[in-house]
Amino acid sequence: MSSDTESPPALPSPPAFPISTTPLPTPTPPPPSSSWLRNTSFTVDLAAINNTSSSIPHTFPESDDDEDEPEPPKAEASNIYELLEEEDEEEDRKGKKKKRKKRRSGGDGKEKVRFGLGKRSGGVWSCVKESRFGGKEYCFDSRPDYDNLAFGSLYRFNVSRYKLLDSGRNWEPTYQSYSRSRRKVSMSEQELDIDAVDDTVRSSGRYWSGKYSAIERHKNLKRIRIIVPQKSKRVLLDDFIPLSTEDSHDGLVLDNMVVEESWEDEVLRKTKEFNIMTREHPRSVRAWLDFAEFQDKVAAMQPQKGARVQILEKKISILEKAVELNPGEEDLLLALLKAYQGRGNSDLLMAEWEKILKRNSQSIKLWTEFTNMVLRQFSIFKVSEQRRMYAHAIRSLSAACSKQRQGYWASDPPLQDSAAVELELGLVDMLISLCHFEWQAGYRELATALFQAEIEYSLFSPTLQLTEHSKQRLFEHFWNSNGPRVGEEGALGWSTWLEKEEEERQKAIRDISAQENEGGGWTGWFTLTKKEQNLAESENAADASMNLEETVDAPENEDQMQVDDDEALLKMMGIDMDAEANVDIKDSTIWGKWSEEETMRDNDQWLPLHPRSGASHGREAIDEEVEEQLSRVVLFEDVSEYVFSLSSEQAKFSLVSHISTNSATWSQKILSLEGLPYSTLQDLKRVHDSLVRGSTTNGISWDLLFPCVHDDSKKRDVMSFLRDAILLCLRAFPGNYHLKEAALIAEEQSVMVRSNAAAFSATPCQSLAKRLLKSDRQDLLLSGVYARREAAFGNHDRARKVFDMTLSSISQLPQESLSNIPILYFWYAEMELAMRSSGDAASLSRVLHLLHCLGCGTAYSPYKCHPSSVQLLKAHQGFKEQLKTVRASWASGVFHDSSVALICSASLFEELSAGFTAGIDVLSEFLATVLPETRRGSYHMEFLLNYYLTVVERHHDQAGMKKLFSCISHGLQIYPYNPQLFRSLLDVCSAHIVPNKLRQFLDGHFQKNPSVIALLFALSFELSKGGLQSRIHGLFERALAVEQLHTSVLLWRCYMAYEADVVGNLSAAKRIYFRAIHACPWSKKLWLDGFLKLNGILTPKELSDLQEVMRDKELNLRTDIYEILLKQDLDLD
């Protein structure tokens, strides 16, 4: 194929797929009276589709579509002229003038110069002629052709037309060939309808022509298809001589078949193949799914809705048969339920879901998809209904866990299989999903209470042999008491609180018995006098009447007084509640202020109040107005349906790891968030700033895209809550240094919010770290974590002192505490290596000294001088022997943090002593020993790959960009959600790779593994380049077209912020807003974004209706619009 921009304009080439070998009749021109009826679709015969498609030849003709017209002799070429189409009189006069000029000019060479042919020496025509005889198969036109006659005129965005170039004929470009080509093109300039496929219509437009488009989509069109065998078998001629006479080449049997079949033939053939496959292999889930997916392809070819409905029913029957033969396959059940959803009946869909979930109540995948499906249904969504669905899911999964737990407890010794662990992990994920839902719907106190209740119920339950019912009754006593819960100041845990309460009760009993003993024994009954009896009865009656009045009359009087006061204040403002209950707000800015107040209250009111005291522990005093907000009090009945017991350590730690962002799977769970975590946002900003510094264009600020992201991690109360919760959870996981590091970071944030960071000479977490070290002086990793926080704060000397003191005291520790020594050495070496980049010349010698002590296994001594060659050789041999032990443990599938730290330390030692290549070889050897499937689910292997990338990035000048890019691309295949890989790709590779190639790589990766992380880094790259609107719109639309990303609140908020704040297109932002609330109706923050950003384009009536919809969906609204009106009136006064 060749483009008209590359081929001569006068080429009389045939169409690629000719309709008929007979010439098509020329349409009769309309009479002058009906000249406005120029569209040939009005007179077309629709029955011509079958006739046209049936007349398609099966082979490509050698001659063009003008071969039926006799070519004029060459001698008379100058006297024969082709007539051009006349559109109007003015064009006719212009055409005659051009003809007279051409006759006067004369000469073939002048004609070529006029048409742009002769003036190009060594240009396109010479390449075409050489391709005729020199064996070239194609040619390139590297020069612009501003008067390319192949277009005829500018048409359809200057899209070039492609035709089959007959390279077997020898021709010369002439004026006659150009005129014939021009005459054929003129008809294609008309707007042809899809139905205009009459044979009288002549059009050479192949890709946009209505005629050819209809023919291409017609079901009777025969297409050439090459059948290639699935596996080509190589024939060994020495051992076997085939009897077949088929041609072979290099020992390959060519079984390729060329057949012609229409769409109907393909449907019949594939249906037959699927029927045979499912009949012979009824247990093949993949075959049934492919058969069902093929029905979607068939339905897409049907123009009638009735035909598509019939195919949908056929697909449902196929999947029902598959489920009948494979009742326990979750993929088949999900495909069947998705097909049911295509019917459009919500009630029937819910009924089918309930029937399937009753038969598969232990399936985590089905329950997760069910809750997500109900969440996405805007028409039936309500907060109370969604809670009920979550309650059913948690109760079913909890009952399944209890059954499995009884099974492995009955074994001797007690065993715990992986299925039970996976079930408990899925149960924890379901609870976390519920907490996210409650938080985003505005019920933040309930979300926090659910999290507190489950941690207390699972991690700190009393060590008593109780049934589940008795355990819940005992927990109800704890929950309704005034005792502090996890995260609150002074919290002890449920079991410790129960022990302390029991001690106090026993002490009170002893005190009462002691008082009775001191007061003497019983002296007998005595009778009251009549006067004393009457006095006692009158006092009891008075107390009873006063209590009744206080409980009944007083609240009514207070409420009535409160109502009267509110009505009086509103009447002062000119609002009569009796006359008009719903006052229309005529100023849109009032709704913006209401949204701001609602957002502020959401950020402040997140901690639940206790039922008895009406206050929360460890926070500021709560005034009388807040005490009256009973909605902030979370009762036991609100959380009793969602608490469950956990037995596996993996599930318990998964629950605790959601407290902070230090979870290894945090980047994968970012899909359910409304805003970016602080650490991820800082990474994106660093990458964006780095790209802007290296770019010549003015990039768009990243803050404009996330102006509404409120950083809750900076708030003192939130950080204090996280610190206290993590410290309490350390009792259940005393040796986990990840939680200790998270506690220190939370302490830093809570302290630094109160004052400026420059006011601290030491790190803000120093006091907490010393307090933790006093409780366990043998905790090496806690000392290392504290030293790293000192280094991050800039106190490198203090960090060295902590490291040196800890490593020097290793010999005095017990043997079981020495397994984490490589982690401590590696942290120390990383800190020194980071100081080397800041200009410390002695850092390299310090690193070698540290690694020499680790490799040789000698006692640590503080740095004095550079290690000698003999010491380095001994360290090399020592690392070699230690890595043998690690290799053996990894072969059995046992991974530890200490082994990963030892491998990284050995690689760093080889890198500094023998060169960059030696260090890379150490890492490559261990990465190659683990299978990709095992590597994909291992946090240790991901850390090792990140370190491998860090080493290559540090020496990218020596390694080359090709090695760095291949490392990143390979890593993204295994870990598609790794932020460090994206950060390296944009930070380093963007300076050495063409932007279009980088965009193609990002688009290809997103198409294979769509994720929010990939999209955010792609947006960061585009914003740094100036923010091409079409490109950014394409990124957002492609991401939101993915089913799993369509319900991402973060993406919708980011998209709307881009249109409203960056582009300034409020109309587009309004359209996106309505799409967003329809896709994510549970997100209160998403609803409030519309009130904040779109109050300039939405009318007050529309904003009022939106608030009514929010109330109808049962979102938690804390502010009444009349409060804003009252506050505004008071401000004016």
Side-chain angles (χ1 to χ4, degrees), residues 769-800:
K770 290 183 176 180
R771 188 169 75 248
L772 293 176
L773 286 172
K774 286 181 180 179
S775 61
D776 187 4
R777 296 186 178 275
Q778 297 181 355
D779 194 344
L780 296 177
L781 295 182
L782 178 58
S783 301
V785 167
Y786 168 56
R788 294 180 72 186
R789 298 314 307 164
E790 289 284 359
F793 201 72
N795 299 328
H796 297 95
D797 294 336
R798 188 185 298 272
R800 283 174 179 166

Side-chain angles (χ1 to χ4, degrees), residues 426-447:
L427 191 55
V428 170
D429 291 339
M430 185 66 67
L431 177 69
I432 297 302
S433 177
L434 173 61
C435 293
H436 280 303
F437 165 73
E438 296 288 355
W439 184 275
Q440 294 177 8
Y443 298 91
R444 300 197 170 188
E445 298 91 349
L446 180 57

Side-chain angles (χ1 to χ4, degrees), residues 628-921:
E628 296 175 359
Q629 297 180 358
L630 297 179
S631 60
R632 295 189 60 189
V633 177
V634 180
L635 302 176
F636 177 75
E637 291 77 9
D638 299 328
V639 300
S640 60
E641 293 183 323
Y642 310 106
V643 292
F644 48 85
S645 300
L646 295 174
S647 59
S648 64
E649 294 296 322
Q650 296 92 325
K652 292 179 180 179
F653 182 73
S654 176
L655 177 65
V656 175
S657 63
H658 287 85
I659 296 178
S660 65
T661 59
N662 285 6
S663 174
T665 60
W666 181 261
S667 59
Q668 301 180 21
K669 299 183 184 300
I670 199 175
L671 183 64
S672 60
L673 299 182
E674 291 180 313
L676 283 177
Y678 179 74
S679 58
T680 306
L681 185 60
Q682 291 302 112
D683 287 343
L684 289 170
K685 286 184 177 180
R686 282 196 295 268
V687 171
H688 178 265
D689 295 341
S690 176
L691 291 173
V692 169
R693 286 194 300 267
S695 177
T696 57
T697 58
N698 295 326
I700 299 175
S701 176
W702 186 259
D703 294 331
L704 292 176
L705 206 59
F706 288 95
C708 53
V709 174
H710 297 279
D711 187 17
D712 292 343
S713 63
K714 290 291 187 181
K715 294 186 177 180
R716 178 175 58 87
D717 291 343
V718 176
M719 287 293 103
S720 299
F721 177 85
L722 292 177
R723 177 203 59 202
D724 295 340
I726 294 171
L727 291 177
L728 185 61
C729 292
L730 281 174
R731 300 181 183 180
F733 304 97
N736 192 286
Y737 67 91
H738 295 287
L739 293 179
K740 296 174 182 177
E741 185 176 9
L744 294 181
I745 293 175
E747 175 68 12
E748 287 181 6
Q749 297 292 337
S750 63
V751 173
M752 291 175 63
V753 167
R754 304 172 189 172
S755 57
N756 190 10
F760 296 94
S761 58
T763 179
C765 65
Q766 183 180 14
S767 58
L768 177 61
K770 290 183 176 180
R771 188 169 75 248
L772 293 176
L773 286 172
K774 286 181 180 179
S775 61
D776 187 4
R777 296 186 178 275
Q778 297 181 355
D779 194 344
L780 296 177
L781 295 182
L782 178 58
S783 301
V785 167
Y786 168 56
R788 294 180 72 186
R789 298 314 307 164
E790 289 284 359
F793 201 72
N795 299 328
H796 297 95
D797 294 336
R798 188 185 298 272
R800 283 174 179 166
K801 182 178 179 182
V802 174
F803 272 123
D804 290 340
M805 183 173 57
T806 304
L807 292 175
S808 300
S809 61
I810 288 176
S811 58
Q812 304 174 4
L813 299 178
Q815 189 65 28
E816 57 270 11
S817 302
L818 303 180
S819 59
N820 295 324
I821 290 178
I823 302 177
L824 205 60
Y825 273 103
F826 180 64
W827 287 350
Y828 197 178
E830 274 191 323
M831 186 196 74
E832 293 292 346
L833 199 64
M835 293 181 62
R836 179 192 176 191
S837 59
S838 61
D840 193 345
S843 295
L844 180 59
S845 300
R846 290 178 179 273
V847 173
L848 288 175
H849 172 71
L850 288 168
L851 298 177
H852 154 256
C853 295
L854 177 61
C856 295
T858 58
Y860 175 78
S861 60
Y863 168 76
K864 295 180 181 179
C865 61
H866 191 279
S868 62
S869 301
V870 177
Q871 291 176 333
L872 295 179
L873 182 60
K874 290 182 179 179
H876 174 76
Q877 294 296 330
F879 276 121
K880 191 174 181 180
E881 294 298 327
Q882 294 181 43
L883 291 180
K884 288 182 180 179
T885 307
V886 174
R887 196 177 294 109
S889 64
W890 279 37
S892 58
V894 179
F895 307 102
H896 298 289
D897 292 348
S898 58
S899 62
V900 175
L902 182 61
I903 294 171
C904 295
S905 300
S907 173
L908 181 59
F909 177 79
E910 295 294 336
E911 176 190 350
L912 298 179
S913 60
F916 142 75
T917 307
I920 288 294
D921 292 340

